[in-house]
Amino acid sequence: MPEITVGVRELLALKYGPRNISLTPHPAVLGQGIQGHKEAAANRPAEYQREVPIESGWVEGSWRLRVRGRIDGLLDTGEYILVEEIKTTRAPDPRQLLPEHNEFYRAQVTLYAYFVAQDNPDRDVRARLTWWHLETKEETIIELTAEEIASGEGLFRQLAIEYIRREKTRWQRLEQRNNTLAAMHFPFPSYRPGQEELVQTTALALEHGQDMMVEAATGIGKTAALLLPAISWLRTAPADAKVFFLTAKTSGRDIVIETLKLWPDIDLVTVCLEAKERWCTHPDGDCDSCPLARDFYPKAAQLLPKMLAAKILTPDLIYQFAGIEGICPFELALEAATHADMVIADYNYVFDPMVQLQRFFGGNKIPAVLLIDEAHNLVSRGREMFSASLGKRQVLHLQRELKLVQPELSARLKELNSLLIQWNKEMKAEGTRQLLLDKLPRGLPAKLSRLAEELALAEYSSPEFKDFCRALIRFNKIVQRLGQEHAIYLERQGGDTFLNLFCINPGPLLQKQRQKCTAVFFSATLSPGSYYRELLGCRDEYLDLSLPSPFPKENRLFVHIPGIKTTYAARASYYPAVARYIAKVIQQQPGNYIAYLPSYAFLREVAAYLEYELPGGYRLHLQRSGMDMEEREELMQGLTGPGANIGLAVMGGLFGEGVDMPGEMLIGTIIVGPGLPMVSPQQELIRRYFAERDDNGFLYAYLIPGMLRVVQSAGRVFRTPADKGLVVLLDDRFRQEGYRQLLPQYWQDEGLFSDNWLQRIRKFWAKNAGEA
């Protein structure tokens, strides 16, 4: 007999769920709700029982439904048993709240009363819904009639039958899905070198629920080799299990979709989530007044069967379905994801506390596998996700804006502004632009939390008001996660003063945020392993796999040109030489090249000299700061177009990672300098944090991030087994031990630091004449 367990609230949602999307705070979900419950219960007799677990069941054919809940309060007076649900509110008259709120809560206490009556058939059972007012400390009591309590049996029967019906449909689909997965096989006639090992090791990791670190060169076919065992894992996983494929860029998503199309016969439902701002057409994202939010849930329920039949729900397809009923495409994608087997999404939907999908990673934790693409990017993204700041200028402006319309809120903002003024004075007195704090002042987190609540309930709106509310909500979320991984500091910047919560080591927070999910971190660059294991939050029990490049050695050349210094103090003397070497390299074989430089200033200086050194027939293309999408696309077309083109780009920028230029679109890169991050207050905080722990400060803060940019820039050349090209390094620091150890070993094994660089380039192109 199949047995299903469900919570009372989930069961009630079948009939009493919301109709409209709303961002308005739920009246019973406030920061002081728990305290309100305690205050209300304090007025009850000593024999009053709080948080009483309750359970009931329903049998339908061979199916058994077990329903569990927790009653806020239970009182046996001897004459009767009282069942009570307590909700907290600030609404003047809670009986005037939206029907969906009071109806839901009345139905909830009705079911609880029915369950209690079932357990006590000879007793008189009564029930009531109590609203506790957080401001006045008064309660509004809504007594349920005997007829309402008696209706609990019919309500339970109706909901239980419907829930089992839906579960039967879901299980039938899962059984059909699993039958098709049983026949799933590798989608190509043969494995590339390393692919079969990747498939088998991933399957082993998922079988034992262990994390996995995979460093595999571009072109090995990581996507297909990871999807095969991950999707197959669903066959033996719990019914609510999912696979999440997490990417940092849209290009990663597109590769997954194309790979899934190689398995047309599997009944797998995949949903791609797009960023909300790309879908939202309503000003300021105000769901409460958006026409696409009205009657969303019943309309979405009508669409879902047709949507799920499409199997691969791309953003464009979801948008088309949303247009049929005139509802929000973003929320429709989330509803579809609830029913999906696999979800393709950005990192932040799992890790960022502001946008994490609570339906999957909140209270109801689902078993899931996370496939984390280009995982090296998650280090910097993780720091952003768990950092926050508040600016004095924004606080002051909003304080003045609210002075007449919301004087109490203005007074609270003035208090916060005064604190920032005091810190500003301390920095000026010490002649510094940064002030480190051991911890936040006593009582400040509680004040900021209360301020956020009051702003949410204020009957006022303006663009600045909304911006500050979002900043404050984020700040408060990060405050709740503060630990030794954070630095708290004040900084004067651009005429403003900021209170910063900066996450130095995101690893522990990333691990906690994903809870029990198994993670497979994969990238072409995950060395050194100790650095990435810690900063990505890989668990202690993990599998490690490093696979070499599958491409023929004869198709690639790695060259270091000695005699160049790009340190900040020395670089100005070497601009002409850098330009000459770039020209000399590209002269040997006409085609498309990109030279990656440390900064825009460096780029402009070299470009000025290169214009005079440029070989005949070459066109020069320059990356500029702040380019929009159209300008980026235009530059990309120029860089990879026919003829001979040389592009100058900034290392670590838009053209250094996440772009594919296979074949003759790019035949060489010239990488100028190790790409170390600029010295900044945040990088210095990272350096000091790791220096105090294990003397790896410079390595973690500057050297590894810089050399990552080098390896990623080089990876633009070799995208397929047929690609032929070269990678040239310019800077004598590359020969130093600390830098050398962070370069791929096979570069060095294949002659990176050999003499006669020009002769080696000529010989390489002569051997590949007419094939490059």
Side-chain angles (χ1 to χ4, degrees), residues 403-465:
K403 190 171 184 179
L404 296 178
V405 291
Q406 295 280 345
E408 291 185 4
L409 283 177
S410 180
R412 293 192 181 278
L413 289 165
K414 184 177 181 180
E415 184 180 352
L416 176 58
N417 187 55
S418 298
L419 183 59
L420 291 165
I421 289 174
Q422 182 59 40
W423 277 323
N424 210 10
K425 289 179 179 178
E426 289 183 42
M427 285 188 284
K428 287 181 180 179
E430 295 178 12
T432 181
R433 302 187 67 84
Q434 188 183 74
L435 177 66
L436 278 172
L437 304 178
D438 292 332
K439 58 185 179 181
L440 291 172
R442 184 183 180 93
L444 180 60
K447 290 179 180 179
L448 293 178
S449 179
R450 178 57 184 255
L451 176 61
E453 281 189 20
E454 293 177 345
L455 290 171
L457 295 170
E459 295 182 358
Y460 182 80
S461 181
S462 74
E464 181 137 284
F465 180 87

Side-chain angles (χ1 to χ4, degrees), residues 143-165:
E143 300 280 359
L144 268 65
T145 66
E147 289 76 13
E148 281 183 285
I149 295 173
S151 71
E153 181 179 2
L155 176 62
F156 184 49
R157 179 191 301 110
Q158 176 189 1
L159 295 175
I161 292 173
E162 174 61 16
Y163 195 89
I164 290 174
R165 184 193 67 78

Side-chain angles (χ1 to χ4, degrees), residues 360-646:
F360 304 127
F361 305 100
N364 299 321
K365 306 174 183 66
I366 65 163
V369 164
L370 312 179
L371 303 179
I372 304 171
D373 187 21
E374 301 292 348
H376 62 273
N377 286 312
L378 187 55
V379 175
S380 58
R381 287 284 299 276
R383 286 194 175 114
E384 293 172 8
M385 291 173 191
F386 298 108
S387 298
S389 66
L390 289 177
K392 179 186 178 303
R393 182 181 296 167
Q394 191 177 32
V395 173
L396 178 61
H397 286 179
L398 191 59
Q399 173 200 329
R400 292 171 174 170
E401 185 177 315
L402 295 175
K403 190 171 184 179
L404 296 178
V405 291
Q406 295 280 345
E408 291 185 4
L409 283 177
S410 180
R412 293 192 181 278
L413 289 165
K414 184 177 181 180
E415 184 180 352
L416 176 58
N417 187 55
S418 298
L419 183 59
L420 291 165
I421 289 174
Q422 182 59 40
W423 277 323
N424 210 10
K425 289 179 179 178
E426 289 183 42
M427 285 188 284
K428 287 181 180 179
E430 295 178 12
T432 181
R433 302 187 67 84
Q434 188 183 74
L435 177 66
L436 278 172
L437 304 178
D438 292 332
K439 58 185 179 181
L440 291 172
R442 184 183 180 93
L444 180 60
K447 290 179 180 179
L448 293 178
S449 179
R450 178 57 184 255
L451 176 61
E453 281 189 20
E454 293 177 345
L455 290 171
L457 295 170
E459 295 182 358
Y460 182 80
S461 181
S462 74
E464 181 137 284
F465 180 87
K466 290 182 177 180
D467 287 344
F468 180 77
C469 287
R470 284 189 284 265
L472 182 58
I473 290 170
R474 179 171 196 88
F475 195 90
N476 287 340
K477 282 185 177 289
I478 303 306
V479 166
Q480 296 169 8
R481 292 164 172 80
L482 280 180
Q484 61 182 8
E485 300 84 16
H486 280 89
I488 306 171
Y489 69 100
L490 278 296
E491 183 180 16
R492 294 171 60 200
Q493 184 180 23
D496 201 354
T497 300
F498 293 90
L499 173 58
N500 298 296
L501 310 176
F502 175 56
C503 180
I504 297 173
N505 180 4
L509 293 164
L510 290 170
Q511 187 181 119
K512 185 176 181 180
Q513 199 76 348
R514 66 178 164 104
Q515 299 165 356
K516 295 183 179 180
C517 297
T518 300
V520 178
F521 303 96
F522 62 100
S523 172
T525 313
L526 285 179
S527 295
S530 58
Y531 168 89
Y532 283 105
R533 284 195 298 275
E534 177 175 8
L535 272 68
L536 291 174
C538 181
R539 298 195 181 104
D540 292 338
E541 295 292 327
Y542 74 100
L543 296 183
D544 198 4
L545 184 62
S546 181
L547 299 171
S549 171
F551 299 152
K553 295 180 181 180
E554 58 270 18
N555 286 2
R556 61 195 184 217
L557 179 68
F558 300 100
V559 168
H560 175 257
I561 301 177
I564 295 294
K565 296 180 180 179
T566 65
T567 59
Y568 188 78
R571 62 180 52 173
S573 302
Y574 290 88
Y575 293 143
V578 169
R580 284 197 301 272
Y581 282 134
I582 292 173
K584 197 73 171 177
V585 169
I586 67 177
Q587 186 179 16
Q588 307 310 311
Q589 175 67 37
N592 295 335
Y593 297 81
I594 297 179
Y596 293 99
L597 302 119
S599 67
Y600 284 105
F602 199 121
L603 183 154
R604 289 190 294 269
E605 294 288 351
V606 170
Y609 288 100
L610 186 57
E611 288 181 353
Y612 298 99
E613 301 281 352
L614 206 61
Y618 268 93
R619 292 179 294 275
L620 178 62
H621 307 271
L622 307 181
Q623 181 184 353
R624 299 188 310 279
S625 177
M627 299 175 74
D628 60 29
M629 291 298 295
E630 187 176 342
E631 291 171 325
R632 295 176 198 173
E633 182 62 30
E634 184 179 344
L635 178 58
M636 187 68 174
Q637 291 178 359
L639 287 173
T640 59
N645 299 279
I646 172 66

